[in-house]
Amino acid sequence: MTKEHRRFTEFADACRRDRYIGLCYGPPGVGKTLSARRYASWYELSPLLRRGHKHLTQGRDRLDWHTVVYTPTVSATPRIIDKELCDLSSNLTVIRTPDPFDDRSLADPHASSAFVELLIIDEADRLKTPGLEQLRDHYDRSHLGMILIGMPGIEKRLARYPQLYSRIGFVHEYRALSADELTFVLQRHWSTLGLTLSADDFTDAEALAAVARITGGNFRLVHRLFAQITRVMEINGLNTISREVVETARESLVIGTL
Ligand SMILES: Nc1ncnc2c1ncn2[C@@H]1O[C@H](COP(=O)(O)OP(=O)(O)OP(=O)(O)O)[C@@H](O)[C@H]1O
Ligand SMILES: [Mg+2]
């Protein structure tokens, strides 16, 4: 539970409450997708929605199941997007509806039900003009809150679509971990290797600074760097993470410019 995740939660709550379109952008690997899925309890919810069982009511008491996360495929056409969004929303309505035989809410596939409040579109960079147009149409018909997640620069790209852009109520930048938070995360990584990280210890402080410099607080890079660090330590039979170990691990990683 990072500070960025907490900020994302506040942002998503605001979009959900006010039924706005929100735009969230950030560099690759900082945790946008993970935050969105966590917010929606997506790991529990998505297997139920995909199965598409009708008349399941196990979501009756789950007040936190109000959000659908949708990742369009690279080749998604407006027709596919429309169908998949309607299916996800109506399946969520079905499992949340207290009376399994009440089908009224399903009459109009675009109509918003009381149970679906927010739609999160991950990888929104993939959408071309017709796809974005489809989303705007879906938003107007359903009047759900909506969040588009993408890479930095998406806010400038969307400014070229004035109709969609004029509906955007909030913009949120998802940032990498701060130095203090990175230390906190690294303490956990150190402990998974059976070590303790102490900022007072010179070797640890040096290794910490090297990790911070190499990863810039990016979660994905931290994970990948640690996989290599573990390998370097095993091969060499080491039991301390030093700056040299971190730098050796870094040499076997391909790190693009972020
Ligand atoms: N709060 C967190 N705690 C632990 N691991 C995390 C956290 N946030 C992100 N990660 C890890 O970082 C990696 C990247 O996260 P994620 O896929 O959410 O990034 P992203 O911002 O969606 O990137 P992209 O723009 O490439 O889609 C994942 O492997 C995930 O496990
Ligand atoms: Mg992602």
Side-chain angles (χ1 to χ4, degrees):
M1 179 72 84
T2 61
K3 219 189 266 175
E4 277 305 306
H5 177 67
R6 192 155 300 137
R7 284 180 66 235
F8 180 85
T9 304
E10 281 164 16
F11 161 71
D13 280 341
C15 293
R16 184 160 66 89
R17 188 186 55 232
D18 297 336
R19 306 287 154 116
Y20 268 131
I21 300 187
L23 186 60
C24 167
Y25 64 90
V30 288
K32 303 182 295 294
T33 301
L34 206 76
S35 269
R37 293 191 175 163
R38 174 78 179 266
Y39 181 80
S41 310
W42 198 236
Y43 297 101
E44 275 175 278
L45 185 53
S46 76
L48 302 176
L49 296 187
R50 245 183 284 121
R51 245 183 277 144
H53 283 168
K54 301 290 173 204
H55 307 319
L56 288 179
T57 53
Q58 64 266 63
R60 254 186 314 208
D61 308 318
R62 292 298 300 260
L63 299 179
D64 59 324
W65 287 358
H66 42 55
T67 298
V68 164
V69 182
Y70 177 62
T71 313
T73 59
V74 175
S75 57
T77 59
R79 186 196 298 270
I80 293 177
I81 293 172
D82 185 40
K83 177 166 185 317
E84 291 182 337
L85 285 181
C86 289
D87 284 354
L88 284 170
S89 305
S90 63
N91 287 348
L92 177 56
T93 304
V94 167
I95 62 172
R96 289 285 315 276
T97 306
D99 175 3
F101 299 105
D102 180 4
D103 278 348
R104 272 172 308 171
S105 52
L106 303 179
D108 174 1
H110 291 101
S112 67
S113 74
F115 304 111
V116 189
E117 299 171 17
L118 181 68
L119 202 59
I120 302 183
I121 314 289
D122 198 7
E123 305 285 352
D125 301 279
R126 290 177 180 169
L127 299 173
K128 316 239 170 0
T129 314
L132 292 170
E133 194 57 24
Q134 181 62 55
L135 284 187
R136 178 169 73 87
D137 179 68
H138 194 87
Y139 173 73
D140 284 350
R141 286 174 198 266
S142 64
H143 218 74
L144 302 172
M146 195 183 269
I147 293 179
L148 305 178
I149 297 183
M151 300 263 286
I154 191 174
E155 73 285 8
K156 297 195 188 73
R157 213 187 116 216
L158 291 185
R160 283 190 258 135
Y161 305 98
Q163 283 187 303
L164 180 66
Y165 203 64
S166 71
R167 287 165 171 77
I168 293 179
F170 301 101
V171 178
H172 177 85
E173 184 188 357
Y174 205 108
R175 298 179 302 221
L177 292 169
S178 66
D180 287 348
E181 233 178 344
L182 181 63
T183 309
F184 177 79
V185 168
L186 291 182
Q187 266 159 356
R188 298 193 154 206
H189 277 287
W190 249 254
S191 66
T192 56
L193 298 176
L195 306 170
T196 40
L197 174 65
S198 152
D200 297 335
D201 181 319
F202 181 69
T203 311
D204 285 359
E206 231 185 13
L208 194 69
V211 175
R213 179 166 41 77
I214 292 168
T215 62
N218 182 299
F219 252 118
R220 185 175 289 141
L221 285 181
V222 171
H223 276 268
R224 286 174 47 213
L225 187 62
F226 259 82
Q228 291 302 327
I229 289 177
T230 314
R231 199 178 129 242
V232 169
M233 295 199 21
E234 270 169 15
I235 291 173
N236 296 289
L238 300 173
N239 50 19
T240 323
I241 304 179
S242 62
R243 178 166 61 89
E244 288 76 17
V245 169
V246 176
E247 282 169 358
T248 309
R250 189 251 173 273
E251 280 166 21
S252 52
L253 283 185
V254 183
I255 300 181
T257 45
L258 290 169

